[in-house]
Amino acid sequence: MTHWLCVLVQTPAYANLGVGLSYLSELPLPPGTLVRVPLGKREMLGVVWDADTAQATGEIEPGKIKSVAGVLEGIAPLSTSWQQLVTFAATYYQRSVGEVALAALPPQLRELSPAQMARRLKRKSPAKAALGDWEAERSAQVKGGGRRPGDTEQSALPPSLLATGTGAPALTPEQTTVLAQIDEHAGPFLLFGATGSGKTEVYLQCVEQLLAADPDAQALIMVPEINLTPQLEERFKARFNATASPLYGEHAVVSLHSGMTNPQRLKSWLAAHSGAARIVLGTRMAVFASLPKLRLIVVDEEHDPSYKSSEGARYSARDLAVYRGKLEGAKVILGSATPSLESWHHSRPAEDGGRYLRLHMPSRVGGNDQLPATAGALPLVRRVDMNHQPRKAVFSLPLIEAIKERVARGEQCMVFLNRRGYAPVLHCTDCGWKSECPHCSAYRVFHKIDRTLRCHHCGFTERVPRACPTCGNPDIAPLGRGTEQLEELLAELLADVKRPGSMTPGNPRGEPLRIARIDADSTKLKGALEEQLAAVHAGDVDVLVGTQMIAKGHDFRRITLVAAVNPDGALFSADFRAPERLFSLLMQAAGRAGRDAALGAQSEVWIQTFQPAHALYAALKRHDYPAFAAQQLKEREEAGMPPFSAQALVRAEARTQEAAQAFLNAARAVAVNEMPAWDGWATVLEQITPYPAVPMTIQRVANVERAQMLIESPSRAALQQFLTAWQDVLHSTRSLPECKGLIRWAIDVDPLLI
Ligand code: ADP
Ligand code: ZN
Ligand code: ZN
């Protein structure tokens, strides 16, 4: 007998096809089955979808329907809840289900034919089926620079972590309370815990309890950037698949992130899908991992913007995690020292409408008796009033003095500035020429190291001209500062300071200070970041200069002074989320400082500001996130901004700014003027504010003009209804004559950058 199937394939985002394509099969394949299907002249991966809920395109004549080319044997069908997750994500983020489903699968599944796949699965011994050759993978990872050079299983762990071996430490009272609450309630939970309060330990123990109680259970642990947090991976592996005493099998922990090779990713994916992997550690993409026995999801650093995808379906992995938890009956823990204001708001008391349970761990783990009393103390926040400093000072005198004092004692300092390069602009003092990018509405940044002007938007790079290209004046000068210049300046200011030296060979007393810079430029080469981080950890660096890259995620235990050179910009940004990001960045930076209790020094965070009395810095000084959040939420509520409203952005790219805006405005006109004739539309529209199209902040990138339109509503449901109905209008608006030159458009639901 022949069966009709609805099969999802990777459709171009806006092909505007139905949900799936129709195929025939001799066998009745259940939804979720992975198949290869012919499409045009090619053969591609497809997922059998539920024909009852999916509308297969009926336009093909029955005689022309092709048959499924093959089934990926040995891989169980994807679960119903996985299919529901994908369907929800596609619907909510306004993309095709095929696109979301196929993008959620490891790339290599798309490439291998059923025969190749079968060979691959068969090569493994039965016990290891779907697991693959782990030792080979591990050594490939080490060789491939996925870890720090020379890393063996546990070497990256600071001795303080190894002290407890694979066993868990005795819990602090706060941890005990929190774990009991997690056990008792359904969640979702917002674990609001200071950096160093032992959140990771809570995750570890939750997982441990879960795995001990349920022989099949699986846990998903998400981190914003796994390459920046190799320590988490080490900690999980040390706890759960330590080679000495594997608690849950040697391969209980697998990773899923884009830094892995395709074969590694496939292997991890299969291990999770088969149930062999008990713990999956991953970045945002891991939210779509197939985990048949998922019982726990942890989203660490839940406020981090990297959880939001910026291409394809612009999904928020954090929000999907909460949805998925509900769908699959898995507990969800969102953790952060500075939660997103959305999550903070959701975790208000249930009486006020809160949906998450807020758990609080305010204290840093103090270490044991042998450690000095300062060990668990929060760093001191100092504001330097730059109004009282020499007018052009980059570094205030007291900051330089403080840095000198620290390095003289053998401590490390970290200085950050959110701008890489030497200077953001080069300009001519005679005619006013500036180093604009010919392809973008932005200035090219001056990089002194290789004497180039580089566009940070399109990448266009040229050598610095000898003289002003407009008037020939040889005296062209940098304006403003980037990290390169800070590094240079610090070297001058600290020239008379010598290293205190140490007992380690090759680290003699009296050498010049070592200043290092970590930013996107210094870490371009594969493995460079790991090498530079290792140098910081090894104590080969005295002062570290960098962008926010260094403030985030890394555990720099020996850094006792952190300085933000010029953070004021975010206080007055047009982006309403800028203060939230700044506060979180500074709190994270403060949390990094001085975690090496053994040093015993009181660590400090220095803020150079022209606004020393600003509420944000005042709250920071008290380490008072709740006060900051309350103030921000009040402002947001008054202005009707998220989380008190729902937003979507439609972005359009075109050859001309006129076409980009015309497209958006035309589609808006249809929604406002023509669609009200539709049944029920008026009620939807009443709750929607579609703003007029505006150019994006960086209006032109690589000669493409960009415009956007904000759609706002107090009701998420109304916004969803509006977008779903409006999609068709956007599709058809494209062909209007005034939209000639439109290249692409996309909807971003719950956008983070506006
Ligand atoms: P967070 O994730 O909140 O930043 P961690 O879980 O990394 O905090 O804990 C900070 C440090 O304290 C780590 O070195 C960790 O090993 C240690 N630690 C955590 N919980 C305990 C505990 N109950 N007893 C002793 N040390 C602990
Ligand atoms: Zn000039
Ligand atoms: Zn450019």
Side-chain angles (χ1 to χ4, degrees):
M1 203 190 126
T2 320
H3 301 265
W4 275 67
L5 296 178
C6 170
V7 178
L8 294 184
V9 293
Q10 192 161 39
T11 44
Y14 296 111
N16 215 9
L17 298 167
V19 167
L21 302 176
S22 298
Y23 286 94
L24 298 176
S25 161
E26 293 304 313
L27 296 165
L29 301 173
T33 307
L34 292 169
V35 291
R36 301 282 303 180
V37 291
L39 187 72
K41 288 200 174 70
R42 296 198 297 151
E43 197 183 283
M44 43 172 59
L45 178 69
V47 187
V48 177
W49 218 242
D50 191 343
D52 289 340
T53 59
Q55 194 77 60
T57 39
E59 281 152 40
I60 320 157
E61 294 155 47
K64 288 193 176 166
I65 297 184
K66 294 183 182 160
S67 292
V68 165
V71 176
L72 274 72
E73 306 277 0
I75 304 181
L78 292 151
S79 69
T80 312
S81 49
W82 187 87
Q83 296 169 50
Q84 283 171 329
L85 173 70
V86 163
T87 306
F88 171 80
T91 313
Y92 187 84
Y93 294 104
Q94 308 287 328
R95 305 292 286 202
S96 79
V97 190
E99 183 197 14
V100 176
L102 274 294
L105 297 171
Q108 229 183 11
L109 267 190
R110 297 202 284 268
E111 291 151 18
L112 300 177
S113 71
Q116 286 170 316
M117 198 65 207
R119 271 202 301 278
R120 187 162 284 241
L121 290 170
K122 214 182 292 163
R123 245 193 280 137
K124 333 291 178 202
S125 65
K128 280 192 177 178
L131 272 178
D133 187 350
W134 290 91
E135 294 319 314
E137 182 202 349
R138 177 158 298 156
S139 63
Q141 241 181 11
V142 172
K143 280 191 205 117
R147 297 165 173 219
R148 268 173 261 153
D151 247 14
T152 53
E153 204 40 23
Q154 299 188 340
S155 69
L157 279 173
S160 60
L161 291 184
L162 288 176
T164 49
T166 57
L171 292 173
T172 65
E174 285 176 6
Q175 286 170 329
T176 309
T177 311
V178 157
L179 277 164
Q181 283 176 294
I182 294 172
D183 192 44
E184 196 177 315
H185 298 276
F189 305 95
L190 176 67
L191 176 52
F192 168 50
T195 313
S197 62
K199 293 187 292 299
T200 312
E201 189 57 46
V202 168
Y203 309 151
L204 284 160
Q205 303 241 355
C206 269
V207 172
E208 202 164 336
Q209 285 172 13
L210 173 77
L211 299 199
D214 180 345
D216 297 322
Q218 292 179 301
L220 169 63
I221 318 292
M222 291 203 284
V223 290
E225 287 157 66
I226 208 156
N227 286 324
L228 293 184
T229 50
Q231 299 199 18
L232 187 76
E233 200 176 329
E234 296 291 336
R235 277 173 81 175
F236 271 84
K237 288 191 168 165
R239 188 69 61 89
F240 294 102
N241 55 5
T243 25
S245 64
L247 276 172
Y248 298 99
E250 217 178 316
H251 312 302
V253 185
V254 301
S255 300
L256 261 183
H257 57 85
S258 55
M260 298 162 66
T261 65
N262 283 347
Q264 286 168 346
R265 245 167 94 174
L266 177 62
K267 225 172 272 179
S268 292
W269 187 88
L270 287 170
H273 179 61
S274 71
R278 309 289 304 279
I279 301 162
V280 174
L281 280 173
T283 47
R284 65 168 180 253
M285 63 157 76
V287 77
F288 288 112
S290 166
L291 292 151
K293 293 284 159 51
L294 183 63
R295 295 291 172 267
L296 174 70
I297 308 179
V298 172
V299 184
D300 192 27
E301 309 285 7
E302 68 88 31
H303 63 278
D304 197 296
S306 330
Y307 283 119
K308 176 91 164 130
S309 169
S310 55
E311 55 200 31
R314 276 108 172 128
Y315 64 90
S316 156
R318 174 196 65 217
D319 296 348
L320 285 182
V322 173
Y323 177 84
R324 187 172 187 180
K326 202 162 142 199
L327 191 68
E328 309 205 28
K331 286 201 175 175
V332 178
I333 306 172
L334 312 178
S336 177
T338 52
S340 64
L341 289 176
E342 279 81 0
S343 298
W344 186 253
H345 185 61
H346 288 324
S347 70
R348 65 196 185 278
E351 308 90 84
D352 302 340
R355 296 187 286 118
Y356 303 172
L357 186 63
R358 190 184 295 168
L359 312 172
H360 195 192
M361 298 204 304
S363 328
R364 276 185 163 192
V365 176
N368 56 39
D369 299 343
Q370 288 115 51
L371 298 174
T374 45
L378 290 165
L380 189 69
V381 176
R382 308 195 142 197
R383 292 162 288 183
V384 182
D385 186 347
M386 294 304 277
N387 296 299
H388 298 153
Q389 292 295 319
R391 233 172 59 78
K392 288 196 168 165
V394 178
F395 290 100
S396 60
L397 206 62
L399 175 58
I400 288 298
E401 286 308 313
I403 292 177
K404 283 182 181 173
E405 221 172 88
R406 298 267 166 182
V407 293
R409 289 207 299 261
E411 296 168 26
Q412 292 175 308
C413 299
M414 173 166 109
V415 171
F416 72 90
L417 176 74
N418 239 352
R419 199 182 250 162
R420 64 197 166 89
Y422 188 85
V425 195
L426 209 58
H427 88 138
C428 166
T429 40
D430 268 9
C431 75
W433 170 86
K434 287 196 175 80
S435 55
E436 264 163 45
C437 174
H439 311 296
C440 306
S441 53
Y443 294 115
R444 278 173 300 164
V445 174
F446 172 40
H447 289 254
K448 194 174 174 184
I449 283 186
D450 53 3
R451 297 209 61 82
T452 55
L453 289 177
R454 276 188 238 158
C455 175
H456 287 185
H457 301 280
C458 73
F460 181 66
T461 304
E462 274 183 335
R463 285 197 55 79
V464 169
R466 278 176 203 289
C468 169
T470 322
C471 74
N473 171 19
D475 194 15
I476 43 179
L479 258 186
R481 294 163 194 92
T483 43
E484 264 185 34
Q485 197 175 152
L486 282 198
E487 186 186 7
E488 187 183 279
L489 257 169
L490 272 175
E492 284 168 21
L493 291 167
L494 302 173
D496 57 335
V497 187
K498 301 282 178 247
R499 308 196 85 206
S502 70
M503 302 302 281
T504 3
N507 200 4
R509 164 181 281 278
E511 297 236 315
L513 281 192
R514 297 184 197 173
I515 302 175
R517 175 170 54 88
I518 297 189
D519 55 26
D521 297 316
S522 78
T523 53
K524 249 184 291 184
L525 295 177
K526 203 170 157 60
L529 175 63
E530 287 80 3
E531 242 167 73
Q532 292 168 13
L533 292 176
V536 178
H537 286 290
D540 294 342
V541 171
D542 303 302
V543 182
L544 179 61
V545 178
T547 51
Q548 60 167 343
M549 218 172 153
I550 58 172
K552 189 163 116 169
H554 307 289
D555 201 354
F556 293 124
R557 293 168 170 267
R558 303 186 36 177
I559 287 180
T560 59
L561 185 150
V562 175
V565 176
N566 184 15
D568 283 350
L571 302 178
F572 310 104
S573 168
D575 178 353
F576 72 90
R577 282 193 175 85
E580 181 182 353
R581 281 197 301 273
L582 176 64
F583 190 85
S584 139
L585 183 69
L586 295 175
M587 281 284 274
Q588 299 288 326
R592 303 288 145 216
R595 288 177 77 178
D596 196 340
L599 277 175
Q602 167 68 59
S603 54
E604 292 180 344
V605 174
W606 287 62
I607 314 282
Q608 296 195 142
T609 171
F610 289 96
Q611 308 285 327
H614 195 283
L616 188 150
Y617 298 134
L620 186 77
K621 184 160 178 65
R622 300 191 310 266
H623 300 274
D624 192 349
Y625 169 82
F628 168 75
Q631 178 264 328
Q632 284 286 308
L633 283 170
K634 186 162 161 278
E635 272 181 26
R636 298 244 191 124
E637 186 165 23
E638 281 162 10
M641 304 253 214
F644 302 95
S645 67
Q647 294 181 328
L649 266 189
V650 191
R651 297 198 180 91
E653 298 185 358
R655 294 278 157 237
T656 63
Q657 183 62 222
E658 292 71 39
Q661 291 192 23
F663 164 75
L664 295 170
N665 286 329
R668 174 177 181 258
V670 175
V672 176
N673 304 325
E674 295 175 29
M675 287 166 74
W678 303 5
D679 205 20
W681 188 248
T683 7
V684 172
L685 208 57
E686 255 170 38
Q687 304 175 69
I688 300 289
T689 312
Y691 290 91
V694 292
M696 284 176 64
T697 314
I698 310 277
Q699 169 177 338
R700 187 166 48 102
V701 168
N703 292 321
V704 171
E705 290 284 340
R706 314 186 309 163
Q708 66 183 30
M709 174 174 283
L710 177 65
I711 319 284
E712 212 169 59
S713 172
S715 152
R716 194 163 290 277
L719 182 66
Q720 282 290 316
Q721 273 177 302
F722 176 86
L723 293 174
T724 307
W726 196 40
Q727 276 252 16
D728 283 341
V729 174
L730 286 161
H731 284 294
S732 53
T733 303
R734 222 197 148 124
S735 50
L736 293 182
E738 66 262 37
C739 304
K740 196 164 172 290
L742 182 77
I743 299 165
R744 61 178 84 83
W745 60 274
I747 298 180
D748 187 348
V749 181
D750 304 331
L752 282 187
L753 288 172
I754 291 189

